[in-house]
Amino acid sequence: MRLTQLRSFHAVATEGSFTRAAQALHVSQPTVTTQVQQLEELYKVELFHRTGRRIRPTEIGERLLQLSRQMFDLEQEAVQVLRDAGELRSGHLRVAAVGPSHVTKMLAAFNQRYPEIQISVGTGNSEDVLSRLLDYRADVGVLAQVLKDKRFVSVPYSEHPIVIFCNADHRFARRRSIRTAELQGEKLILREQGSTTRKAIELALKAANVQPTVVMEVASREIIREAVLQGLGVAAVSEVEYVPGSGLHTVRISDAQIKTYAHVVCLAERRDTRLIRAFFNIIGRES
């Protein structure tokens, strides 16, 4: 059975006329008649009672009409789903980000423009973000680094200096800035391997031939903050991610440009999909 045959049957059954069915389908009446006859001959059934100009489905025709209604109703639903998605009136954007501070502004702008698109956000370090993009668990990613990898498209969004923060009793707490050399031998709390902030501060320290004493490696920003409050050491943080609080103090590094960057990333093969393209257009206006 061909779908065109079933469509012709459905049109005749719902319109009550071969002529009106042909008009509804924008084909000739002989075409509709032939397709219905082919369906009857193929399965050796009678689908319509033809009495003069009156046409009504037979018992088997009524049963088939119930099924064809369901099929073509579902077809219309499928068309509507695709149309809504294509026009961005529905859909789901999955974002993977290195931290909420990097992504909040751009998500707010996207939501304002496309309020009917559902957005979900997962956070992790840079390696996590790229992993989610590669296995299609995320549509776009937000990284704090420049990415040079042909598998991805990366667009710069913003840049943020890295600062050092300490507790109120630390010798840096009375300062506005320090030099890189002053971190020599300093107790330093680092983020986990894969963290862009960690890579940036380690590169700057290596360039200045400075060797701090690494006392902890911690994956959680909250735990690092608490460790600094307790006087276990100082830590580096992107200024945009720093949460001020009682007992904490930040200092800039005056003799080095240490920064993290917010870059929006997607798989190169998916760059031109409608939803991802719309997101890149929004962040292009916001950056």
Side-chain angles (χ1 to χ4, degrees), residues 43-113:
Y43 293 99
K44 298 179 175 58
V45 295
E46 184 181 24
L47 296 174
F48 294 102
H49 292 303
R50 300 164 176 85
T51 306
R53 293 185 177 182
R54 291 185 58 197
I55 296 175
R56 58 186 179 85
T58 62
E59 182 180 351
I60 188 65
E62 288 286 0
R63 291 169 60 188
L64 184 59
L65 178 59
Q66 292 177 12
L67 294 173
S68 66
R69 279 200 182 101
Q70 295 177 43
M71 288 179 60
F72 293 122
D73 284 349
L74 286 172
E75 181 185 51
Q76 285 303 310
E77 287 186 31
V79 168
Q80 191 61 46
V81 166
L82 293 171
R83 183 176 292 120
D84 287 349
E87 296 174 1
L88 299 183
R89 293 200 301 264
S90 67
H92 184 191
L93 179 71
R94 299 163 303 167
V95 180
V98 292
S101 55
H102 290 288
V103 75
T104 304
K105 183 180 177 182
M106 61 183 78
L107 291 184
F110 184 82
N111 178 255
Q112 184 176 8
R113 175 64 180 83

Side-chain angles (χ1 to χ4, degrees), residues 138-152:
D139 303 303
V140 294
V142 182
L143 295 178
Q145 65 182 24
V146 177
L147 181 65
K148 296 180 180 179
D149 188 322
K150 292 182 179 180
R151 295 174 298 174
F152 301 94

Side-chain angles (χ1 to χ4, degrees), residues 152-264:
F152 301 94
V153 172
S154 178
V155 175
Y157 180 73
S158 59
E159 61 180 46
H160 313 280
I162 287 179
V163 296
I164 300 295
F165 73 106
C166 60
N167 73 6
D169 296 325
H170 195 277
R171 60 190 176 91
F172 292 163
R174 295 180 295 276
R175 307 270 298 277
R176 289 186 177 181
S177 65
I178 60 172
R179 297 179 63 82
T180 310
E182 294 182 75
L183 291 170
Q184 176 68 37
E186 188 69 40
K187 293 180 180 178
L188 184 63
I189 302 168
L190 289 177
R191 287 287 305 275
E192 78 284 5
Q193 290 287 348
S195 161
T196 305
T197 301
R198 173 173 178 158
K199 289 179 183 177
I201 191 66
E202 284 184 331
L203 284 172
L205 293 173
K206 183 177 181 180
N209 198 28
V210 171
Q211 295 182 338
T213 301
V214 177
V215 293
M216 294 179 68
E217 294 184 3
V218 184
S220 165
R221 291 180 179 87
E222 292 76 16
I223 295 177
I224 290 178
R225 191 171 186 273
E226 185 62 29
V228 171
L229 273 172
Q230 296 298 322
L232 299 182
V234 301
V237 64
S238 175
E239 190 173 49
V240 71
E241 295 179 338
Y242 175 67
V243 180
S246 176
L248 291 175
H249 180 76
T250 61
V251 291
R252 291 180 175 271
I253 299 176
S254 62
D255 60 341
Q257 293 291 317
I258 312 173
K259 296 180 179 180
T260 60
Y261 303 84
H263 278 69
V264 180

Side-chain angles (χ1 to χ4, degrees), residues 251-279:
V251 291
R252 291 180 175 271
I253 299 176
S254 62
D255 60 341
Q257 293 291 317
I258 312 173
K259 296 180 179 180
T260 60
Y261 303 84
H263 278 69
V264 180
V265 183
C266 73
L267 283 175
E269 67 190 55
R270 302 190 66 204
R271 175 64 176 85
D272 290 327
T273 61
R274 184 72 183 276
L275 191 59
I276 293 174
R277 187 169 68 247
F279 189 79

